[in-house]
DNA sequence: CCGACAATACCAACCAGTTTGTATTTTTTA
DNA sequence: TAAAAAATACAAACTGGTTGGTATTGTCGG
């Protein structure tokens, strides 16, 4: 690591974020050099001409989402280390990433120290160990519950609505009458002052719940 | 600007983004110093004890969204310059920000040069001029249309679905029969291989369309 | 000029969620 | 322990979107 420069490829559609990352990582490592790609599909097209040791891969991107990109990459270039970086972190997404071969999963709200540590770990292990940064759902619940008076059960139901389940599916899953789920949903809508299912989904996604 | 240090307050829930920004901005300005707050509600609580010259304010945050924060801030501290930084940029959001007193609106996918220029402009003007960075919707349309074969009309209708309009409202707006809108919607769903309205909204939001 | 595609329009049966109610049981907490 | 809050359950009328069709008109490129 001292004597051969390490090539890090950053794949993220946010120019500012990518540039910031490079600036931060360079601060302690003269031997890092970077490439920046801002679209998933360009990554796949150009990976043949690039030989990164490590890819920092955003999940949410135009062109091709990070998870599909990860899948394609690991099939062809399994030696390249990949750290997924995302805003979201439901367990489902994290597990999908790890099972498709990601070496680590980090949230965008980690600090640079944690990112550096993760990079070091990933670069210096013969793979196998995975590092995942599970999101603190409790914090999220805390603010919806205090601001909107959302109860635990309502919160639980919101989580299933977010992943696209119908009232019927939620009821089956939680062993509830569909009427109960309807009632909860009604109360959620009232408390959040939302008018239609679309607005609920937007609320959930935009507030990263 | 040479002799009195400039205090920049960064309000963004993404630690990495904020740290990256600070690293980038420090590179050319020794006379900048920074505070970082990661929640909208904490901003409002602590603004009394802070005297920033400039606030870089993210729109999407837990606690209190950036637009409300902007509103509250400008009411009390109209002299503080505020640059909104966001991932999204529908004209509605931009206009809302500018009308509530934001001095500029930038997307997270601008580069550091553009950010620096905007900061300089905002700091050196007696307010009045506004800088907004309207998103290149054409680019977005380009990739959905090439990947999913979405037509112009379908794209147009998707935009209204995204803001929560019903088929009826869209039909009125575009002078179409509701049957036409239904047909377009049906085709959109098929082309995107989506099963229900929830998935469509998720697709639109997650792909920032 | 013709074939493909886009845009328009229609229909009926169907499915999902909303609204506006009421009401019982369980749990929490003052 | 009594009151409040949360969770449960039900029902009917209603609104909005889906599914799987069909069909006409316009338009653009080969």
């Amino acid at each position: 690591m001292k004597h051969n420069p390490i090539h890090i490829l950053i794949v993220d559609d946010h120019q500012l974020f990518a540039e910031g990352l490079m600036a931060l990582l360079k601060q302690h490592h003269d031997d890092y050099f970077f490439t920046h790609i801002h679209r998933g599909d360009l990554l796949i097209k150009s990976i043949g001409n690039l030989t990164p040791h490590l890819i920092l891969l955003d999940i949410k991107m135009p062109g091709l989402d990070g998870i599909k990109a990860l899948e394609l990459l690991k099939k062809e270039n399994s030696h390249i280390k990949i750290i997924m970086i995302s805003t979201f972190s439901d367990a489902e997404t994290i597990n999908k990433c790890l099972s498709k071969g990601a070496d680590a999963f980090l949230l965008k709200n980690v600090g640079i120290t944690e990112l550096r540590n993760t990079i070091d770990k990933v670069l210096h292990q013969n793979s196998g160990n995975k590092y995942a940064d599970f999101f603190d759902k409790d914090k999220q619940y805390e603010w919806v519950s205090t601001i909107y008076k959302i109860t635990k059960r309502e919160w639980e139901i919101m989580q299933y609505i977010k992943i696209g389940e119908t009232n019927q599916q939620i009821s089956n899953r939680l062993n509830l009458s569909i009427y109960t789920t309807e009632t909860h949903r009604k109360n959620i809508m009232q408390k959040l002052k939302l008018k239609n299912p679309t607005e609920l989904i937007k609320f959930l996604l935009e507030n990263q719940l």
Side-chain angles (χ1 to χ4, degrees), chain A residues 59 65 67-68 70-71 84 90-102 105:
Chain A
I59 291 188
D65 79 85
I67 294 182
K68 283 199 194 96
L70 166 70
E71 212 172 347
M84 305 298 289
D90 50 300
E92 206 188 332
T93 306
I94 295 178
N95 292 331
K96 207 186 284 175
C97 289
L98 296 182
S99 73
K100 289 188 194 301
F105 186 104

Side-chain angles (χ1 to χ4, degrees), chain A residues 74 81-83 98 101-105 118 121-132:
Chain A
K74 275 287 176 175
K81 303 287 184 182
I82 299 181
I83 299 178
L98 296 182
D103 297 280
F105 186 104
T118 308
K121 277 183 199 156
V122 164
L123 284 177
H124 292 95
Q125 80 192 356
N126 302 324
S127 120
N129 291 24
K130 306 269 173 143
Y131 298 89

Side-chain angles (χ1 to χ4, degrees), chain A residues 10 12 23-24 34 39 46 50 52 58 77 79 81 87 96 99 105 112 114 116 126 133 142 166 180 186 194 207:
Chain A
I10 298 177
D12 195 301
L24 285 170
F34 301 93
R39 293 175 58 105
S46 45
L50 296 168
D58 188 16
N77 310 75
H79 60 285
K81 303 287 184 182
T87 326
K96 207 186 284 175
S99 73
F105 186 104
I112 179 62
E114 189 168 349
R116 282 209 197 92
N126 302 324
D133 182 20
E142 207 182 298
T166 63
T180 306
K186 173 173 59 182
L194 302 173
N207 289 287

Side-chain angles (χ1 to χ4, degrees), chain A residues 171-189:
Chain A
S171 305
N172 293 153
R173 179 193 285 280
L174 301 177
N175 281 312
L176 293 175
S177 154
I178 190 169
Y179 297 115
T180 306
T181 309
E182 276 174 8
T183 304
H184 283 308
R185 194 167 177 136
K186 173 173 59 182
N187 293 331
I188 290 167
M189 299 296 282

Side-chain angles (χ1 to χ4, degrees), chain A residues 2-15:
Chain A
K2 287 261 172 53
H3 302 296
N4 21 349
I6 292 172
H7 183 186
I8 298 181
L9 173 59
I10 298 177
V11 187
D12 195 301
D13 62 322
H14 292 151
Q15 180 83 6

